[in-house]
Amino acid sequence: MAPLNILIVGCGIAGSTLASFLLLSEGMPAHETPKITILERAPGMRSQGQNIDVRGAGITIIRKLGLEGAVRASTTGEVGVQWVDDKGAIWASIGADRTGKLSTPTADIEILRGRLAELCWLRSKDISESVQAQGGKGIDFIFGDCLDHIQQDNDQVHVRFAKSRREMRYDLVVGADGLQSQVRRLVWGASGEEDRVKKLGAYGAFFSIPRIASDTVHRQWFHASGRRNIMLRPDQQNKRTTAFMFVVNEEDTRLQEVAKKGREGLESQKDIMQEYFSDAGWQSDRVLSEMRKTPDFYYDMIAQVKLDHYNKGRVVLLGDAGYCASPFSGMGTTLAMDGAYNLAGALSRHPDRPDQAFEEYETEMRPVVTRAQKLFPGMPRIFAPETAWGVWVLNLIVYLIQLSGLPKILFKYLGPPANTVPVKDYGFKTLPEWSPEQSEKSTKS
Ligand SMILES: Cc1cc2nc3c(=O)[nH]c(=O)nc-3n(C[C@H](O)[C@H](O)[C@H](O)COP(=O)(O)OP(=O)(O)OC[C@H]3O[C@@H](n4cnc5c(N)ncnc54)[C@H](O)[C@@H]3O)c2cc1C
């Protein structure tokens, strides 16, 4: 049987993790491993982005790829969360749990999303090169393009690249292209998107700003009246501070309209953030003025993706594209990595029966996704009071909870459930620790 010819759309955390494991089946000769193409819309990898955490099953999976050391060497340095008011007074402070037993808001591993995606990509490139050296096809990376047409028959998926206009055929297509997945739109139909993408009534902007002396190694979380939030978080790798501003508002349709414009709507997205946050208080003036100059502004709605099935024929969705749980869940990275691992595992067990592989993948993932998408009761409204009085009460509650010693119990039972996600054994090779330096050098030269 010829090796599977697979197109993965999206070179994010999920896409390149999947590609790596597809090439790591123990005992499979290199020439039998799949021929993989990864198609990424962005012109290249960016190492910045928002702060995300890696927990439980996610850590087990990066360890299997030999990436744990490299990931730990790239962390942001966040040591915990502080709740602050408009004068900068700290109402509560919760440190990161380093035992891996509690799901505290700051996890043991905090890293920028772009850096984690870059490490996963560099790792997959390295694995691919070693497979190619042994006679396999490995991975072909295509940056700066996307698909504008997908059609499938019983045996193959026919696609067209939007820019190059190339028409290609693959045995399988994996949509790992994030919350606003184009693969999902093209295959499941744009008209049903409103039902599949469940808005949480929150809209947010993420970007980095220059660090100043008063910025700490804590995440500082400020609640303003009008259901507005600002978070400032350390990024010790780039010596910057990352900002996350979000507003909870289900009535103002402009918040959604500007999100739909994507990168083209940058200025209107900044304008609406300016309008909402100009009188928010605390460090809003600084954050807004830096927002105008930042090189990495990103705005989107905060939503969850819910589908009846993760595949349609030979096209399957992975990570945020298929089951985004939202940044409020703290489970996005775990789902992306666990999904990639389970999909590669299922395909390695049924290389000639994608229908069976996809069924097995869904059976593994569905319960994990269901748990991940169950948000802390009342989220996101509970953390976004309407009035100044409501903000004061929230700060007081957080203060009293900390004083009572309850956080240990709360974060044992109510935090993100990543520590309880099982990681099955599919017989993949476990790789030794690996450093990206050599691969980075060869990319830059
Ligand atoms: C502010 C914020 C904070 C978060 N915090 C956490 C956290 O603490 N813990 C956690 O576990 N998760 C967190 N998440 C979620 C986490 O970042 C995502 O769940 C995770 O990155 C999903 O990985 P993915 O590979 O599925 O998608 P993505 O990381 O979105 O990657 C998708 C890739 O596809 C590319 N792409 C998009 N469209 C196309 C196209 N049409 N064609 C080709 N390529 C395309 C994109 O450029 C990108 O490279 C957070 C998210 C946000 C926004």
Side-chain angles (χ1 to χ4, degrees), residues 170-224:
Y170 297 93
D171 296 322
L172 306 173
V173 170
V174 180
D177 49 347
L179 172 62
Q180 304 288 359
S181 169
Q182 181 72 357
V183 171
R184 196 179 62 230
R185 281 168 205 271
L186 289 172
V187 177
W188 272 255
S191 58
E193 279 291 279
E194 291 282 315
D195 299 325
R196 289 176 217 120
V197 182
K198 314 276 179 201
K199 294 185 219 56
L200 296 176
Y203 298 83
F206 327 102
F207 49 94
S208 68
I209 63 177
R211 190 171 168 72
I212 58 173
S214 57
D215 288 343
T216 76
V217 283
H218 281 88
R219 174 190 333 183
Q220 292 205 309
W221 190 353
F222 166 64
H223 304 271

Side-chain angles (χ1 to χ4, degrees), residues 100-168:
K101 290 190 181 134
L102 301 181
S103 297
T104 43
T106 297
D108 186 19
I109 296 181
E110 294 282 341
I111 184 168
L112 294 191
R113 175 186 177 191
R115 178 62 181 156
L116 181 58
E118 185 183 40
L119 286 173
C120 293
W121 165 64
L122 288 168
R123 191 64 181 119
S124 69
K125 252 169 65 96
D126 183 74
I127 292 169
S128 165
E129 278 158 21
S130 106
V131 166
Q132 284 165 344
Q134 296 166 56
K137 299 278 185 204
I139 310 169
D140 182 20
F141 294 91
I142 302 172
F143 284 90
D145 208 343
C146 53
L147 301 180
D148 66 2
H149 182 76
I150 303 179
Q151 199 185 2
Q152 55 178 318
D153 53 38
N154 283 341
D155 303 317
Q156 294 217 292
V157 189
H158 307 252
V159 306
R160 187 177 62 216
F161 289 70
K163 276 196 191 151
S164 70
R165 309 309 290 164
R166 267 198 308 160
E167 294 190 9
M168 301 290 290

Side-chain angles (χ1 to χ4, degrees), residues 9-15 39-42 45-46 50-55 105 110 113 117 145-147 176-183 206 219 233 244 298 302 318-321 324-337:
V9 183
C11 192
I13 295 161
L39 172 67
E40 167 59 46
R41 184 178 55 183
M45 297 301 285
R46 284 166 299 216
Q50 69 277 4
N51 305 45
I52 59 170
D53 53 40
V54 188
R55 297 170 189 265
E110 294 282 341
R113 175 186 177 191
D145 208 343
C146 53
L147 301 180
D177 49 347
L179 172 62
Q180 304 288 359
S181 169
Q182 181 72 357
V183 171
F206 327 102
R219 174 190 333 183
R233 305 179 71 172
F244 174 30
Y298 175 74
I302 295 172
L318 169 65
D320 276 6
C324 178
S326 89
F328 297 144
S329 71
M331 284 292 287
T333 319
T334 306
L335 290 183
M337 300 201 100

